[in-house]
Amino acid sequence: MAAVLLALPLAGAKGAVGAAIATVVVVAFFTISHVAVGYAAKVSPQTMMLAAMSSYVLKILAVMLLISVLNNVTIWNPKVFAWTVLALIATWIGGEIRTTLKSRTPYVDDPDKTPDDAASSVPETPADRSG
């Protein structure tokens, strides 16, 4: 919303439309990726990486499609769109970095636990008993 309000006096109505489209695109793309990766993280780390890479490729293809569709449209200002996208991406990533740093999530394994302790806490499956 701030981008639209900033673009309106600087670039006119076309700039505001470009900023609005950029805002919708960036928020939609990052929200979809966040939800997809968050859901995949519950499954496994490998699935999380697959979801992250897949959403990245789909976003690139969607942006290419969006640019080709809106290439000859004169209702918006493409420069304002581009600068707004860059500013919103930097803001979003900065927010994610800040959230990650403030979350205090431990990322180091507990040195008191040995690999044998971790293996003994894993429940035995029927396939393990057959051998």
Side-chain angles (χ1 to χ4, degrees):
M1 186 59 140
V4 175
L5 293 176
L6 184 64
L8 188 59
L10 295 176
K14 288 184 178 187
V17 171
I21 293 171
T23 302
V24 169
V25 167
V26 170
V27 169
F29 281 10
F30 275 97
T31 301
I32 289 168
S33 292
H34 186 73
V35 169
V37 171
Y39 177 76
K42 294 177 184 176
V43 177
S44 72
Q46 293 83 5
T47 306
M48 184 174 73
M49 184 64 174
L50 178 63
M53 295 301 294
S54 299
S55 69
Y56 177 75
V57 169
L58 289 174
K59 285 189 288 189
I60 295 298
L61 293 173
V63 167
M64 289 172 54
L65 179 66
L66 181 68
I67 289 171
S68 67
V69 167
L70 298 176
N71 190 24
N72 295 322
V73 176
T74 59
I75 194 170
W76 67 319
N77 186 328
K79 286 185 181 180
V80 173
F81 172 82
W83 284 109
T84 304
V85 165
L86 292 175
L88 291 174
I89 287 172
T91 302
W92 189 289
I93 291 172
E96 285 188 342
I97 290 170
R98 179 174 162 75
T99 302
T100 301
L101 292 175
K102 293 280 186 179
S103 69
R104 305 255 186 219
T105 304
Y107 56 90
V108 178
D109 291 335
D110 186 7
D112 295 334
K113 286 192 174 184
T114 63
D116 295 333
D117 294 338
S120 65
S121 66
V122 175
E124 189 175 309
T125 63
D128 294 339
R129 294 184 211 149
S130 65

